[in-house]
């Protein structure tokens, strides 16, 4: 088990490096974030004890279950799942430092209220539905700049960039066009020079499409399967919740 995870991490690092070489990027510009949904604390620990720092859950329940097990090991928790407003309090309790899935104003308002009460701030990424698929969360690309502008008005929320889940398709060029949409939105937001907004992070690319994402400017790749193996639950279990 340990060997598998360590081997898989090496394979991923090599993939990141090769993709960077192809486009003349510095591999230090691309952070590896481990998507740990359904992965046991024990397996996550192996990664954390071998140089990984960034991990992310999709569900508050899993964050909570693994919190005590991982508390003693240095790491950073991001949140990448659909966040219900009634769970906002919990993610702050479990030391989430960046909410990558901020996709609506109502959620920003609730986060802000809670952060004010706790005298805290948090990093956020605006989640964009760049593939325009019904089944995925995220603000429509046409509304992303507007949402960014509104979120920037909450002083407790530090906008650091954008996040997207690419189209699931074997056609690389279609997947690439999702990542291009995110890159173009980043450039547009930078051009508008919105106060309290830093647009340095582009969280895009997963086990199956990280090379394409890196070629298009990703700074955070979110990898689960390629490190920890296949999951029992289909991703729709995490992504469709509450939709319908
Ligand atoms: C599960 C998940 C990932 C990782 O997906 P893999 O294909 O297993 O690498 C990335 N981002 C989000 C939002 C996820 O839910």
């Amino acid at each position: 088990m340990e060997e598998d995870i360590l081997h898989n991490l090496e394979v991923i690092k090599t993939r990141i490096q090769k993709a960077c070489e192809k486009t003349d990027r510095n591999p230090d510009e691309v952070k590896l974030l481990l998507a740990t949904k359904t992965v046991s604390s024990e397996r996550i620990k192996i990664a954390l004890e071998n140089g990984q720092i960034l991990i992310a859950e999709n569900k508050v329940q899993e964050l909570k279950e693994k919190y005590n097990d991982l508390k003693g090991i240095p790491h950073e928790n991001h949140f990448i799942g659909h966040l219900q407003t009634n769970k906002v309090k919990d993610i702050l309790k479990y030391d989430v430092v960046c909410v990558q899935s901020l996709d609506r104003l109502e959620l920003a308002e609730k986060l802000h209220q809670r952060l004010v009460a706790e005298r805290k701030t948090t990093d956020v990424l605006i989640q964009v539905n760049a593939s325009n698929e019904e089944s995925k969360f995220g603000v429509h690309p046409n509304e992303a700049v507007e949402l960014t502008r509104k979120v920037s008005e909450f002083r407790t929320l530090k906008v650091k960039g954008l996040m997207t889940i690419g189209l699931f398709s074997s056609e690389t060029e279609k997947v690439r066009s999702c990542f291009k949409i995110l890159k173009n939105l980043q450039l547009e937001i930078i051009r508008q020079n919105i106060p309290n907004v830093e647009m340095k992070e582009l969280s895009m690319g997963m086990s199956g499409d990280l090379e394409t994402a890196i070629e298009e400017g990703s700074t955070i790749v979110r990898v689960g399967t390629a490190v920890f193996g296949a999951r029992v639950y289909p991703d729709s279990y995490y992504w469709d919740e509450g939709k319908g």
Side-chain angles (χ1 to χ4, degrees):
M1 172 171 103
E2 171 143 6
E3 283 70 31
D4 284 352
I5 293 173
L6 299 187
H7 170 76
N8 292 346
L9 280 169
E10 287 314 309
V11 171
I12 287 291
K13 285 187 229 168
T14 306
R15 283 176 61 188
I16 293 174
Q17 204 158 356
K18 290 223 165 99
C20 285
E21 275 166 22
K22 194 172 162 189
T23 39
D24 246 333
R25 296 188 60 194
N26 181 346
D28 294 343
E29 290 172 20
V30 183
K31 293 187 271 285
L32 173 58
L33 174 146
L34 301 176
T36 53
K37 56 177 177 269
T38 76
V39 180
S40 69
S41 304
E42 240 173 281
R43 292 164 64 76
I44 298 171
K45 267 187 198 168
I46 294 169
L48 295 181
E49 282 163 353
N50 285 281
Q52 297 306 303
I53 307 165
L54 271 184
I55 58 174
E57 289 291 348
N58 286 67
K59 283 187 182 291
V60 173
Q61 184 59 30
E62 284 191 51
L63 182 66
K64 183 176 169 179
E65 282 164 12
K66 300 170 201 175
Y67 180 75
N68 277 327
D69 301 336
L70 302 178
K71 208 166 50 180
I73 311 169
H75 66 280
E76 243 182 65
N77 269 322
H78 288 208
F79 194 80
I80 56 175
H82 179 64
L83 183 55
Q84 289 158 330
T85 46
N86 63 358
K87 300 274 172 67
V88 159
K89 203 171 166 173
D90 288 327
I91 66 156
L92 299 179
K93 191 155 69 194
Y94 302 117
D95 300 339
V96 167
V97 298
C98 181
V99 177
Q100 295 204 1
S101 44
L102 187 58
D103 59 353
R104 60 202 193 280
L105 189 60
E106 185 204 8
L107 178 59
E109 281 163 359
K110 286 280 151 46
L111 264 172
H112 175 68
Q113 282 168 10
R114 195 63 225 165
L115 287 161
V116 167
E118 297 191 16
R119 298 167 190 276
K120 285 183 187 167
T121 64
T122 188
D123 290 350
V124 298
L125 304 182
I126 305 296
Q127 183 177 357
V128 181
N129 187 355
S131 62
N132 212 356
E133 288 170 289
E134 259 301 304
S135 60
K136 286 181 191 154
F137 291 103
V139 63
H140 189 279
N142 292 346
E143 290 156 19
V145 177
E146 180 64 14
L147 180 62
T148 304
R149 198 173 273 286
K150 286 185 174 149
V151 171
S152 74
E153 289 167 12
F154 297 109
R155 62 184 161 76
T156 58
L157 304 180
K158 310 293 174 194
V159 182
K160 298 289 179 186
L162 306 172
M163 184 270 256
T164 200
I165 299 169
L167 182 76
F168 291 125
S169 166
S170 52
E171 293 176 63
T172 306
E173 292 318 303
K174 284 190 181 162
V175 179
R176 187 184 301 281
S177 69
C178 298
F179 299 144
K180 279 189 192 295
I181 287 173
L182 210 68
K183 180 72 197 180
N184 286 332
L185 281 171
Q186 179 199 34
L187 294 175
E188 173 58 20
I189 294 167
I190 290 172
R191 198 187 61 75
Q192 294 196 13
N193 199 14
I194 306 169
N196 194 29
V197 170
E198 231 182 300
M199 264 293 129
K200 62 174 187 203
E201 306 292 358
L202 281 185
S203 176
M204 56 189 199
M206 311 189 346
S207 294
D209 57 14
L210 67 92
E211 283 85 358
T212 311
I214 290 172
E215 286 162 31
E216 298 305 324
S218 172
T219 66
I220 303 174
V221 290
R222 307 178 311 268
V223 178
T225 315
V227 171
F228 297 112
R231 289 178 292 271
V232 178
Y233 292 110
D235 286 337
S236 56
Y237 172 71
Y238 287 88
W239 293 341
D240 291 352
E241 186 193 37
K243 280 230 150 173

